[in-house]
Amino acid sequence: MRNKILSVLFAMGMLFACKSVKSTSKNKENLSVNFTTISTIVPPEKFEKIQRFILKNGDRRTYRNFDNNNPHYKFSNCEVFLGADIGQRNGTNDPAISNFNQLTITDYDATLRYYELIIVRKGDLEVEKAWIREGMEEEQVYLVDVYGKGLALMKNNLPIYLEQIEKELKVDSSEHE
C-alpha cells in the first residue's frame, strides 16, 4: 500500500513538474514574438514628438512597481507614461540620466488597458537598451503585447488613442505660436 501511495505521489509530482516546465517555455516563446512594427502608424518622429510633449507639458506619476516618478500626461481619452531606456538604472526616470524609449498608453476604462510602444533608435541594439526584444530593428517603432491580448486587436484600437493625442498636440502647438 505504501509503495502504491509513493508511486502515485511521484507520478503526480512528475506531472506537475512537466506542466510547469511546459508553461514556462511557452511563456518564453510568447515573449519573443509578441511585438509588431507600427512605424507606418507611429513613425519614429511622431514617437519623439509625443515624448517631447510629455516631458515639457506633463507631470510625474508612478504607474508600476518597476520604477517611479514616470513622465506622464493625461490626454482626454487616455493617459501616457514614459519609461527610461536604461530601465531600473534610472529608477526615478530622470531625463538628465537617460532618454525614454518606452511609451505606454493606458485607458483604465477599457477592456484593453495597455498599449506599449517601443522605439529602437540608431545604436540602441549595440548598447542593449531596456525594453528591446530579439528581432527588433533600429529606427523602428513597435507595439508590444505584454499581456497577451492580441496584436491584431491592439493594432486596430491604437489609432483611436493616437488620433486624440495628435489633436491635443496640434492644439498645444497652435496655442504656443
Side-chain angles (χ1 to χ4, degrees), residues 89-124:
R89 291 180 297 174
N90 188 358
T92 59
N93 288 289
D94 182 352
I97 296 174
S98 65
N99 205 341
F100 299 92
N101 67 341
Q102 180 188 50
L103 188 148
T104 303
I105 298 171
T106 60
D107 182 352
Y108 297 115
D109 296 327
T111 303
L112 217 165
R113 293 182 175 183
Y114 302 99
Y115 299 82
E116 182 176 304
L117 283 63
I118 303 296
I119 187 170
V120 184
R121 297 177 182 99
K122 191 166 183 69
D124 283 356

Side-chain angles (χ1 to χ4, degrees), residues 1-16:
M1 181 69 168
R2 181 174 174 234
N3 286 342
K4 283 186 180 182
I5 293 172
L6 289 175
S7 295
V8 168
L9 289 173
F10 178 76
M12 287 176 59
M14 291 301 292
L15 179 65
F16 287 124

Side-chain angles (χ1 to χ4, degrees), residues 63-90:
Y63 81 104
R64 60 186 175 191
N65 291 332
F66 181 81
D67 51 6
N68 298 297
N69 206 26
N70 298 84
H72 163 267
Y73 190 86
K74 183 167 178 32
F75 292 93
S76 59
N77 68 342
C78 64
E79 296 183 47
V80 179
F81 295 88
L82 299 176
D85 62 1
I86 60 171
Q88 282 189 310
R89 291 180 297 174
N90 188 358

Side-chain angles (χ1 to χ4, degrees), residues 12-35:
M12 287 176 59
M14 291 301 292
L15 179 65
F16 287 124
C18 290
K19 187 171 183 169
S20 175
V21 168
K22 185 177 179 182
S23 295
T24 302
S25 64
K26 182 180 177 190
N27 287 341
K28 285 182 183 174
E29 288 170 20
N30 287 342
L31 287 175
S32 66
V33 295
N34 63 345
F35 63 87

